[in-house]
Amino acid sequence: MKKQDILIEIGCEDLPFWAGEYFREQWVPVFTSLLVEYRLDHGEVNFFYTIRRIILYIKDISPKQKDITTEIYGPPIEMSLDKNGNFKQAAYKFANSHNMSVENLLVKERKGKKVLALIKYEKGKQTSEIFGDILEESIRRIEIPRGMKWDGGNFKFLRPIRWITALYGKKDIKISLAGIKSTKFSYGHRTLAPCRFKVSNPSDYMDKVIKRFVMFDPDIRFEFVKAEISRKTGIKNFILDEKHLKKVVSLLEYPVIEVCRLKEEYLEIPQEIVSAVITKLNGIPLLDKNGHLNRNYIAVFDGVGGDEIKNNYQDVLYAKMEDALFFIKMDLRTDFAGYINGLKNIIYHPKWGSMYERVERFKKIYSIMNNYFDLSDEEKGNIYTIISLCKNDLSTLMVTEFPALEGVIGRIYAEKNGYNSIIASGIEQHYWPRYSGDALPRTKESAVSSIIVRLETICGFLLDNMEIKGSGDPYGLKRTTNGLIEIIWDRKLNFPLREVIRKILEVFGSYSSEGEDRIMDFILQRIDNLFAGEGISPGIRKAVMAVDGENLVILREKIDAIENFFKTGSAKNILVPFIRVANILKQAKEKGVSPETFEESMLVEKTERELYHFYRENLKISELLDNKTRDYVGFLRQLSKWREIIDRFFDDVLVMCENENLRNNRLALLKKINNLFLLFADFSLIPIVEVEDA
């Protein structure tokens, strides 16, 4: 049989908007790896989804598993055969455990010993026979957030499954999930083409489902909606929130666009509030190239539009806009600073108390951070005011109704209460960046405020022993930490991280060395991940982080310096001599030799005297690493000059000689040189292979 395509469609009750991308990121890789595990050759794996179906389309999958021959090793000969060559009990147990006869046993050599072995041949099964097992196992292997259970609690899925379509070429595949058995039938759009239809093969499905008003590809739905907006509004250059649009199209199967219009009086409301109201009702606000809100906005419906539906939608939105106007009016009756008292009624954390208590911790952390930054009196005052007010909008009616406006409402209300622009913008920007790639705080005051809040968050949750496993991050702690690191790098805010964390833990009244280490390890892990995302090699990351892990600015600058320097082709001039020195010191330590005392008078060979003089002449290069100078490229340039003298030293001088005094003195000299190299990084952690092309 030739290779053919496979189609799997799982039809469900309405899925949450995030389900499709979650399955793409979590399930599809597991499913694909299982195809390899089950020895099935295949082509491209395509994944599609709508609000009520997820679809797998696998191209050119082989009709059966590959046959496999496995050599299995058993017990040693001395345990398996007696002196007459007869099989002992161990041999019989080994054969029986693999459903084989002892006559099939062979004698093989493994790791220098003779052992019993057997050759096991496994014939591949038909793809159609095992595919159901692969599908079910792949679903069981992933976490299903807030999943529902069926089949006696043995199977979990996001929503009740209503139908399964499964085909291998023209042949149906027998699959059963949650008691639902697969067929050759599928369903069209729930209102435009709700009837069941028969599918003859995977490509036939693609043709028929589109004709029944199901745009199964979310990317096509996304681009279709953007094109329709342009066509129906006549606006060519508009800006919209693409992340929100993707959410909207994930809730549809056949998008229908209607252009709606705001009332004139709503244009007087801050546009962030108007946009939030539209967004909450799954509408799409439009901005011009200057970021100004357009009076037209978009409503997207699934399959059915028209004036009546559009007017009903607008009536609901107008009611929400009136609510917003009322909330603003009521909120502004209270002075913005007065909302601090409302924070006493908002629980932040079961262990760490209310949001009011959290703000009090911000103030204490501010007094710690104050000692590390060069701030003017005006900057200090602005930061203190920002962290004192930054959570006040949580107790307003507007944020209670529209949580997405947290920070934005704080900025708007602060402006209306007469606070300066630095304070008002800082209240909003202390949340920045909200996600990867988002804007960073634009002022020093908002950057420092964001660092204070993020450090309090990280320390508080990790002190509570919150588990963060794999891709799981229920409280956004990875995102919070990434933002902390990015702000420090962007603003070059130079401070000793571990020392600050230690003092913050004292603010929580819960200091322990274990807690301090756990928080530092978590932050360093996020730094390592960010560097990895930039393509920094593992060796360079480890080498620099082994020496500098507590000052993020120095760490960033060293990584950049070594990356750029190695690109000049000078990597080996540093790595080769360092590794030679480090290796001989390591060998000596393994033999129990760890010399500390060095005597210049004991240098007898010409080359070792030259090496020592070279070392003395270069001691001043450590000044290049001074906190004020930080000339890391200059330091690396000087290190690269050591190769010739060190190579000559190892060629001319026998370090591990029989004379113990000479040997120890030479090792002590090499240790001094090693310590000089270690001021920058532990270069021994960089494999030569990583930089061979550098």
Side-chain angles (χ1 to χ4, degrees):
M1 289 178 64
K2 65 178 183 178
K3 293 181 178 181
Q4 298 190 71
D5 299 346
I6 277 184
L7 167 78
I8 303 293
E9 178 190 59
I10 302 175
C12 317
E13 293 291 324
D14 288 4
L15 293 163
F17 75 88
W18 49 265
E21 287 307 308
Y22 181 82
F23 276 108
R24 186 196 299 278
E25 294 170 6
Q26 302 295 323
W27 176 49
V28 175
V30 172
F31 173 82
T32 306
S33 68
L34 275 174
L35 292 178
V36 176
E37 196 175 312
Y38 274 76
R39 311 191 308 278
L40 287 175
D41 288 335
H42 62 87
E44 187 178 2
V45 177
N46 294 295
F47 175 74
F48 309 104
Y49 64 87
T50 73
I51 189 173
R52 63 195 294 248
R53 67 191 84 210
I54 58 175
I55 303 159
L56 275 171
Y57 193 111
I58 306 105
K59 293 184 177 180
D60 298 325
I61 195 162
S62 57
K64 63 185 286 292
Q65 291 176 294
K66 290 178 181 176
D67 300 336
I68 186 170
T69 302
T70 310
E71 192 169 78
I72 303 170
Y73 298 103
I77 287 297
E78 56 267 24
M79 293 176 56
S80 310
L81 299 175
D82 62 22
K83 60 183 180 181
N84 297 319
N86 298 315
F87 290 115
K88 294 164 70 172
Q89 188 66 25
Y92 284 100
K93 284 185 177 180
F94 173 57
N96 291 337
S97 67
H98 294 280
N99 298 315
M100 303 281 276
S101 168
V102 288
E103 282 74 23
N104 297 116
L105 296 178
L106 304 170
V107 176
K108 294 274 186 177
E109 188 169 305
R110 187 169 186 246
K111 295 182 179 178
K113 291 185 178 181
K114 289 187 176 181
V115 298
L116 288 184
L118 55 83
I119 307 297
K120 202 168 185 179
Y121 174 75
E122 185 179 342
K123 188 174 177 61
K125 295 180 180 179
Q126 295 295 313
T127 299
S128 56
E129 292 177 24
I130 61 171
F131 205 84
D133 296 333
I134 297 173
L135 187 69
E136 183 171 354
E137 186 177 345
S138 66
I139 294 171
R140 290 185 187 278
R141 281 195 185 186
I142 65 167
E143 177 64 30
I144 304 291
R146 300 185 292 279
M148 303 176 179
K149 291 184 177 181
W150 291 272
D151 213 9
N154 292 323
F155 185 80
K156 184 191 285 188
F157 205 65
L158 272 176
R159 294 292 185 268
I161 295 173
R162 293 307 182 206
W163 78 86
I164 302 171
T165 311
L167 290 165
Y168 177 52
K170 294 182 179 181
K171 185 177 181 180
D172 59 337
I173 306 173
K174 300 303 179 186
I175 294 173
S176 179
L177 297 174
I180 304 297
K181 294 182 179 179
S182 63
T183 68
K184 285 187 172 184
F185 292 91
S186 181
Y187 293 83
H189 188 275
R190 77 174 86 223
T191 55
L192 299 178
C195 296
R196 189 173 77 157
F197 63 92
K198 189 174 183 179
V199 181
S200 59
N201 60 61
S203 59
D204 180 54
Y205 166 84
M206 296 299 189
D207 180 56
K208 287 181 176 177
V209 77
I210 288 176
K211 289 177 178 176
R212 286 164 175 79
F213 304 100
V214 176
M215 287 188 191
F216 55 82
D217 188 330
D219 296 332
I220 291 176
R221 292 199 301 276
F222 178 82
E223 294 300 330
F224 174 78
V225 170
K226 286 181 68 175
E228 281 290 279
I229 292 172
S230 183
R231 184 180 71 84
K232 288 198 170 185
T233 61
I235 305 172
K236 299 301 179 185
N237 298 312
F238 55 82
I239 300 171
L240 52 77
D241 183 345
E242 294 200 349
K243 186 177 179 181
H244 174 63
L245 178 56
K246 287 179 180 178
K247 173 186 173 182
V248 171
V249 300
S250 72
L251 299 171
L252 309 165
E253 290 204 315
Y254 189 77
V256 174
I257 310 302
E258 295 293 348
V259 181
C260 303
R261 195 163 176 81
L262 291 165
K263 290 182 178 179
E264 188 71 34
E265 59 263 35
Y266 299 152
L267 299 178
E268 302 300 319
I269 304 172
Q271 69 178 41
E272 296 93 341
I273 295 175
V274 178
S275 293
V277 175
I278 296 170
T279 299
K280 186 166 185 178
L281 293 177
N282 283 333
I284 302 169
L286 300 178
L287 305 176
D288 64 24
K289 62 181 180 180
N290 297 316
H292 298 137
L293 186 68
N294 193 295
R295 188 172 178 180
N296 290 324
Y297 65 96
I298 304 300
V300 188
F301 305 104
D302 193 5
V304 181
D307 289 342
E308 183 178 354
I309 290 175
K310 181 177 83 170
N311 292 336
N312 288 339
Y313 176 86
Q314 287 191 140
D315 288 343
V316 173
L317 186 127
Y318 293 158
K320 285 289 183 184
M321 288 301 305
E322 293 299 325
D323 288 343
L325 284 169
F326 173 76
F327 294 150
I328 294 170
K329 181 180 177 182
M330 295 300 292
D331 284 341
L332 290 177
R333 288 182 178 180
T334 302
D335 183 77
F336 186 56
Y339 279 104
I340 188 72
N341 293 318
L343 300 183
K344 295 176 181 178
N345 301 318
I346 301 174
I347 298 299
Y348 166 62
H349 190 284
K351 192 171 182 179
W352 308 125
S354 67
M355 194 61 71
Y356 178 87
E357 291 171 287
R358 188 184 186 206
V359 171
E360 292 300 302
R361 281 194 296 275
F362 294 165
K363 296 175 182 177
K364 292 177 182 177
I365 296 170
Y366 160 77
S367 66
I368 294 169
M369 302 299 293
N370 222 356
N371 299 317
Y372 298 101
F373 301 135
D374 183 19
L375 301 169
S376 67
D377 289 342
E378 183 181 1
E379 288 171 333
K380 290 176 183 178
N382 286 338
I383 293 169
Y384 186 82
T385 305
I386 290 169
I387 62 169
S388 300
L389 299 176
C390 66
K391 300 300 178 185
N392 277 21
D393 62 355
L394 295 179
S395 54
T396 64
L397 292 171
M398 274 300 294
V399 172
T400 301
E401 180 67 17
F402 301 100
L405 289 175
E406 184 178 343
V408 174
I409 289 298
R411 188 251 303 159
I412 292 170
Y413 287 2
E415 289 172 342
K416 290 183 178 294
N417 276 254
Y419 290 97
N420 68 49
S421 61
I422 296 291
I423 292 171
S425 64
I427 291 171
E428 177 182 8
Q429 292 176 26
H430 90 277
Y431 287 102
W432 296 5
R434 294 155 295 184
Y435 50 84
S436 177
D438 190 24
L440 297 174
R442 292 174 183 159
T443 64
K444 189 173 185 178
E445 291 93 331
S446 57
V448 173
S449 300
S450 185
I451 287 173
I452 290 169
V453 172
R454 288 170 190 274
L455 282 172
E456 191 274 347
T457 304
I458 295 163
C459 292
F461 278 101
L462 290 180
L463 273 177
D464 195 35
N465 296 317
M466 187 182 76
E467 290 293 326
I468 302 172
K469 297 179 180 178
S471 61
D473 189 18
Y475 296 100
L477 210 58
K478 293 179 183 177
R479 184 174 64 250
T480 297
T481 309
N482 288 352
L484 168 77
I485 297 162
E486 289 168 359
I487 293 168
I488 292 172
W489 285 346
D490 178 63
R491 286 276 162 184
K492 297 188 184 301
L493 296 171
N494 199 341
F495 65 94
L497 184 59
R498 183 180 287 274
E499 184 178 311
V500 167
I501 287 171
R502 186 180 302 125
K503 292 178 179 179
I504 292 175
L505 298 190
E506 291 169 358
V507 169
F508 278 92
S510 187
Y511 175 77
S512 70
S513 58
E514 294 82 4
E516 177 186 318
D517 289 341
R518 185 168 188 241
I519 293 164
M520 278 301 303
D521 289 346
F522 181 79
I523 294 173
L524 289 172
Q525 182 186 54
R526 300 316 308 160
I527 293 171
D528 190 57
N529 285 353
L530 288 174
F531 282 141
E534 295 176 16
I536 309 296
S537 70
I540 290 177
R541 302 195 315 260
K542 290 177 185 176
V544 179
M545 292 179 73
V547 173
D548 285 289
E550 298 183 12
N551 187 306
L552 273 57
V553 175
I554 291 175
L555 181 59
R556 171 83 263 178
E557 291 176 352
K558 281 189 173 183
I559 288 282
D560 291 343
I562 198 170
E563 271 281 288
N564 293 329
F565 187 75
F566 279 7
K567 286 176 183 176
T568 66
S570 302
K572 288 185 180 180
N573 288 336
I574 292 177
L575 297 186
V576 171
F578 182 90
I579 290 171
R580 294 188 77 174
V581 171
N583 282 345
I584 200 164
L585 289 172
K586 182 181 178 183
Q587 292 167 16
K589 188 175 181 181
E590 289 171 352
K591 294 177 180 179
V593 181
S594 183
E596 299 295 336
T597 305
F598 169 76
E599 295 289 343
E600 183 181 359
S601 60
M602 293 184 64
L603 299 173
V604 296
E605 301 282 351
K606 177 186 175 185
T607 309
E608 63 181 333
R609 289 196 298 270
E610 290 176 352
L611 177 61
Y612 177 61
H613 291 147
F614 189 86
Y615 164 75
R616 288 188 60 182
E617 289 169 2
N618 281 273
L619 268 177
K620 285 191 175 182
I621 68 170
S622 61
E623 296 174 3
L624 297 173
L625 302 181
D626 181 86
N627 198 34
K628 291 183 179 179
T629 308
R630 303 217 297 269
D631 182 5
Y632 299 124
V633 172
F635 185 86
L636 290 170
R637 195 178 294 118
Q638 291 299 115
L639 287 190
S640 67
K641 297 177 181 179
W642 283 75
R643 182 171 182 177
E644 188 274 332
I645 184 65
I646 287 179
D647 283 349
R648 192 150 47 85
F649 171 80
F650 280 107
D651 289 340
D652 297 348
V653 179
L654 178 61
V655 178
M656 304 300 283
C657 63
E658 292 184 4
N659 186 314
E660 183 178 348
N661 291 331
L662 286 179
R663 180 190 65 204
N664 288 348
N665 200 58
R666 288 166 181 169
L667 289 170
L669 173 58
L670 291 177
K671 189 171 183 180
K672 285 177 173 290
I673 295 168
N674 191 61
N675 289 339
L676 186 61
F677 276 66
L678 284 171
L679 290 173
F680 189 97
D682 186 350
F683 294 100
S684 67
L685 297 173
I686 305 176
I688 291 288
V689 68
E690 279 191 10
V691 294
E692 280 183 336
D693 297 327

